[in-house]
């Protein structure tokens, strides 16, 4: 086994909790801008003192509503300021918030509310309220429903006048790092979601260590970030806590379709996203250039950015001619790309899936360094991350302070440390399967280099074994294919089959522009599935992906299926992970066709 540990950089006071943070920040610098919340077409600043006052008022309202320490309260909403307000208010009242994706079905909501024993729920919209009303008979322990858009949080806070400051302070003081902070339900790619119990220490200690490790990012002068990933996901939730610990300005946006507009007005200095977001930014920029007749210029600019970034990893650095080309393209292309993200972004944090070296080098080459990391719900999000002063593109970085990574004999990644969860709620069997003497079995396959930097090669349960006995990790091929502008989703198949195949879906957003540049006119998605020019382009993409693997692991045949894999049709989880079992079951005929 290989193993690598990173010592803690900050001492952790055992009696601290997340509930201490709003008051601590307000006392340290009451006028500091803690948040900027959407207001009309602009942003309204919220000071540390104001946030603390709002948290305390809402916490008193929750206490006045009869909720006792340890009670669970669910939050079902898009990413917005009130989500974070409710989170910290619940912690301050000694409660345990349970996040629910705002897109969840009635069956999913019922399971989470019943399994976690939720007594109250905060929802966002009338549609959410109606959904909860429709299942009230199945969750008799649920006694309260508050709707954000109906103004219920303000009304709830107003009822807290009867609760004294001393009563609230007693609730806050009753918590420590060992207290359960939340129950987050796993995405359920392989079965019914499990409730992952994370403590105040999991979040707080890990955020303190990450803040120290990433100080140049999160504590830089004027540091700010715009949160647009769902706060029901552990990655966004951790960044929420990190921003409060680091005392950097935090904003919220749920308008993904117009996120570039929000970037432009908010002007974050760092952002976090999943690889698909970076792929979309790159593909959209490439398509815009091609439609405008500047495709060749963009291709040259892209190649220059990648070469410039790669040169940074060599002792001699970039050669003079490359530096000149980079300077020219910075004025012509890169500055415009940075302006799409608000013009102030210097760093981006990526997680959830491998980003790929090409995109990593491209973004660093244009002046936005992507810090790729790795983690799970069970590790409170990040366990490893690349840090600004030592980046290895193509890896997910070294362990964060307080974290140890070990590679088992079969290649499985094992994790121990400050972020690792305690247990799955009321599920001893699943907990025993996941934890072995303090080590979390991640189910991922990877390797450590001599500096402790981790590379991910695939999922243990997703390894395909061909009829010829060759082990194939689908992720390598799938990640490269999804990077192509025409490809939306991809699933590699071939378990116990004579060769590897793939099912592809087309990107409906990118197709029209691409078709226009190829002189194909208004090509529908359905027609594109059998169009020879499209199929030739996809074959080139497959050939390019195959360069990353041996001949025995390469994709021999593919088929383009109608529609797409989305969260709405049940093929993706809310965190955009592919539900492989569902896909392979529903598209069994298409898979069989590959081998007919």
């Amino acid at each position: 086994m290989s193993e690598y540990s990173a010592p803690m950089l900050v001492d952790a006071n055992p009696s601290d909790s997340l509930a201490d943070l709003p008051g601590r920040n307000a006392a340290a610098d009451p006028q500091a801008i803690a948040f900027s919340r959407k207001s009309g077409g602009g942003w309204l600043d919220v000071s540390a003192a104001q946030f603390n006052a709002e948290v305390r008022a809402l916490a008193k309202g929750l206490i006045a509503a009869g909720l006792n320490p340890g009670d669970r309260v669910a939050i079902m909403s898009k990413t917005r300021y009130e989500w974070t307000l409710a989170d910290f208010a619940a912690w301050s009242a000694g409660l345990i918030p349970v996040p629910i994706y705002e897109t969840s079905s009635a069956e999913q909501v019922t399971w989470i509310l019943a399994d976690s024993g939720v007594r109250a729920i905060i929802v966002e919209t009338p549609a959410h309220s109606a959904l909860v009303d429709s299942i009230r008979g199945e969750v008799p322990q649920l006694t309260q429903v508050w709707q954000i858009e109906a103004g219920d949080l303000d009304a709830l806070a107003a009822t807290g006048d009867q609760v004294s400051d001393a009563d609230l302070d007693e609730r806050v003081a009753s918590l420590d790092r060992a207290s359960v902070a939340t129950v987050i339900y796993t995405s359920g790619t392989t079965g019914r979601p499990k409730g992952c119990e994370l403590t105040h220490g999991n979040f707080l200690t890990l955020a303190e260590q990450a803040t120290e490790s990433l100080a140049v990012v999160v504590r830089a002068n004027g540091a700010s970030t715009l949160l647009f990933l769902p706060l029901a996901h552990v990655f966004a939730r951790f960044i929420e806590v990190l921003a409060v610990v680091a005392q950097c300005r935090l904003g919220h946006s749920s308008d993904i379709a117009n996120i570039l507009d929000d970037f432009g007005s908010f002007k974050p200095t760092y952002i976090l996203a999943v690889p698909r977001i970076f792929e979309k930014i790159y593909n959209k920029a490439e398509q815009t250039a091609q439609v405008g007749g500047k495709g060749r210029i963009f291709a040259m600019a892209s190649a220059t950015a990648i070469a410039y970034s790669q040169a940074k990893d060599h002792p001699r650095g970039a050669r003079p001619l490359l530096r000149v080309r980079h300077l020219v393209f910075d004025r012509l292309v890169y500055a415009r790309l940075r302006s799409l993200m608000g013009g102030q972004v210097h760093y981006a944090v990526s997680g959830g899936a491998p980003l790929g070296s090409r995109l990593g080098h491209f973004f660093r080459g244009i002046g936005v360094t992507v810090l790729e990391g790795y983690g799970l719900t069970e590790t409170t999000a990040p366990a490893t991350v690349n840090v600004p002063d030592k980046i290895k593109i193509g890896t997910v970085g070294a362990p964060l302070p307080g974290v140890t990574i070990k590679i088992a004999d079969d290649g499985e990644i094992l994790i121990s440390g400050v972020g690792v969860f305690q247990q799955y709620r009321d599920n001893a069997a699943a907990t025993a399967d996941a934890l072995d003497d303090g080590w979390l079995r991640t189910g991922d396959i990877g390797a450590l280099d001599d500096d402790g930097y981790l590379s991910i090669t695939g999922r243990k349960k997703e390894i395909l074994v061909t009829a010829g006995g060759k082990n194939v990790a689908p992720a390598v091929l799938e990640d490269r294919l999804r990077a192509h502008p025409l490809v939306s989703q991809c699933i590699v198949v071939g378990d116990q089959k004579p060769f590897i195949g793939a099912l592809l879906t087309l990107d409906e957003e990118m197709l029209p522009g691409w078709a226009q540049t190829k002189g194909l006119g208004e090509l529908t998605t359905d027609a594109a599935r059998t169009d020879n020019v499209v199929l030739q382009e996809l074959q080139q993409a497959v050939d390019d992906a195959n360069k990353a693997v041996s001949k025995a692991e390469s994709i021999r045949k593919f088929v383009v299926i109608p529609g797409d894999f989305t969260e709405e049709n049940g093929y993706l989880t809310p965190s955009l992970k592919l539900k492989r079992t569902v896909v392979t079951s529903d598209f069994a005929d298409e898979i069989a066709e590959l081998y007919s």
Side-chain angles (χ1 to χ4, degrees), residues 20-319:
D20 296 316
L21 294 176
R24 182 182 302 169
N25 289 354
D29 189 352
Q31 299 310 312
I33 303 304
F35 298 88
S36 291
R37 60 182 300 182
K38 274 192 167 182
S39 177
W43 298 89
L44 183 66
D45 288 339
V46 178
S47 69
Q50 182 182 346
F51 180 65
N52 182 52
E54 291 181 14
V55 165
R56 290 182 65 85
L58 185 55
K60 288 181 178 180
L62 292 169
I63 295 172
L67 295 174
N68 300 311
D71 281 346
R72 273 74 63 201
V73 55
I75 305 174
M76 183 181 184
S77 169
K78 291 180 180 178
T79 296
R80 56 190 292 167
Y81 172 77
E82 290 86 353
W83 213 118
T84 295
L85 174 64
D87 216 8
F88 277 92
W91 284 328
S92 297
L95 310 177
I96 300 174
V98 179
I100 300 177
Y101 286 98
E102 55 92 19
T103 55
S104 295
S105 67
E107 182 179 336
Q108 291 167 328
V109 174
T110 302
W111 166 251
I112 292 173
L113 294 180
D115 187 68
S116 60
V118 163
R119 284 197 58 203
I121 183 171
I122 296 169
V123 299
E124 181 181 21
T125 67
H128 293 151
S129 294
L131 186 152
V132 173
D133 285 344
S134 72
I135 62 170
R136 286 291 285 270
E138 300 175 65
V139 283
Q141 83 286 347
L142 182 67
T143 59
Q144 305 272 6
V145 180
W146 298 293
Q147 184 194 131
I148 295 172
E149 290 188 352
D152 290 350
L153 294 191
D154 291 338
L156 180 61
T159 66
D161 291 345
Q162 59 188 285
V163 178
S164 69
D165 286 337
D167 289 339
L168 178 57
D169 292 340
E170 184 179 346
R171 291 276 185 110
V172 173
S174 69
L175 302 169
D176 58 28
R177 290 182 194 254
S179 304
V180 175
T182 189
V183 183
I184 300 180
Y185 280 77
T186 58
S187 53
T189 56
T190 57
R192 181 159 258 178
K194 300 183 290 289
C196 183
E197 289 189 355
L198 297 170
T199 66
H200 285 258
N202 286 143
F203 276 99
L204 182 56
T205 309
L206 192 63
E208 289 168 344
Q209 307 308 315
T211 296
E212 194 68 23
S213 185
L214 298 170
V216 69
V217 179
V218 301
R219 279 189 169 161
N221 186 35
S224 64
T225 190
L226 181 64
L227 201 58
F228 57 90
L229 296 180
L231 270 164
H233 191 271
V234 68
F235 186 23
R237 195 90 168 283
F238 174 77
I239 295 296
E240 168 197 82
V241 172
L242 179 73
V244 176
V245 168
Q247 295 176 270
C248 71
R249 184 170 66 100
L250 177 64
H252 303 75
S253 175
S254 60
D255 189 6
I256 302 301
N258 299 298
I259 190 63
L260 295 182
D261 292 338
D262 284 345
F263 281 158
S265 59
F266 187 89
K267 300 187 183 305
T269 62
Y270 70 97
I271 60 174
L272 70 151
V274 293
R276 191 60 178 150
I277 298 295
F278 297 107
E279 291 167 0
K280 286 282 190 181
I281 292 173
Y282 179 90
N283 292 340
K284 187 67 175 177
E286 182 181 45
Q287 181 194 67
T288 301
Q290 289 175 344
V291 171
K294 298 179 180 178
R296 185 169 173 270
I297 294 175
F298 183 85
M300 293 171 61
S302 176
T304 298
I306 292 170
Y308 186 81
S309 174
Q310 290 171 335
K312 284 189 169 189
D313 295 332
H314 294 284
R316 69 172 184 266
R319 293 181 176 179

Side-chain angles (χ1 to χ4, degrees), residues 525-547:
T525 306
D526 192 54
R529 292 177 50 235
T530 55
D531 183 88
N532 286 332
V533 178
V534 173
L535 294 177
Q536 288 172 12
E537 181 74 15
L538 293 176
Q539 184 61 60
Q540 290 179 12
V542 168
D543 293 343
D544 180 67
N546 284 340
K547 293 175 183 177

Side-chain angles (χ1 to χ4, degrees), residues 333-347:
V333 180
Y334 308 152
R336 294 181 182 180
L337 291 177
R338 292 194 299 270
S339 70
L340 291 176
M341 291 178 273
Q344 303 297 321
V345 172
H346 301 295
Y347 295 98

Side-chain angles (χ1 to χ4, degrees), residues 266-469:
F266 187 89
K267 300 187 183 305
T269 62
Y270 70 97
I271 60 174
L272 70 151
V274 293
R276 191 60 178 150
I277 298 295
F278 297 107
E279 291 167 0
K280 286 282 190 181
I281 292 173
Y282 179 90
N283 292 340
K284 187 67 175 177
E286 182 181 45
Q287 181 194 67
T288 301
Q290 289 175 344
V291 171
K294 298 179 180 178
R296 185 169 173 270
I297 294 175
F298 183 85
M300 293 171 61
S302 176
T304 298
I306 292 170
Y308 186 81
S309 174
Q310 290 171 335
K312 284 189 169 189
D313 295 332
H314 294 284
R316 69 172 184 266
R319 293 181 176 179
L321 183 58
L322 178 57
R323 289 202 299 270
V324 171
R325 285 208 315 269
H326 185 268
L327 182 61
V328 171
F329 283 125
D330 188 72
R331 294 172 179 172
L332 293 176
V333 180
Y334 308 152
R336 294 181 182 180
L337 291 177
R338 292 194 299 270
S339 70
L340 291 176
M341 291 178 273
Q344 303 297 321
V345 172
H346 301 295
Y347 295 98
V349 182
S350 176
L355 176 67
S357 297
R358 181 183 64 90
L359 282 178
H361 281 300
F362 171 79
F363 278 98
R364 183 166 69 166
I366 71 167
V368 179
T369 301
V370 179
L371 304 174
E372 193 170 0
Y374 163 76
L376 301 87
T377 302
E378 290 84 350
T379 62
T380 322
T384 68
V385 71
N386 280 279
V387 292
D389 60 348
K390 189 174 183 181
I391 294 172
K392 290 190 179 184
I393 291 176
T395 77
V396 292
L400 279 165
V403 176
T404 300
I405 303 291
K406 182 162 64 174
I407 307 297
D409 292 335
D410 63 357
E412 184 175 11
I413 301 165
L414 309 178
I415 303 176
S416 68
V418 297
V420 174
F421 81 130
Q422 289 186 327
Q423 63 180 7
Y424 295 115
R425 177 176 170 80
D426 294 336
N427 197 333
T431 303
D433 286 342
L435 294 174
D436 182 9
D437 194 25
W439 290 96
L440 172 69
R441 300 187 187 97
T442 65
D444 290 314
I445 304 295
L448 286 169
D449 68 12
D450 292 340
D451 296 319
Y453 278 61
L454 180 66
S455 298
I456 310 294
T457 56
R459 284 286 295 169
K460 191 174 179 179
K461 291 182 179 178
E462 292 172 1
I463 296 295
L464 305 175
V465 183
T466 66

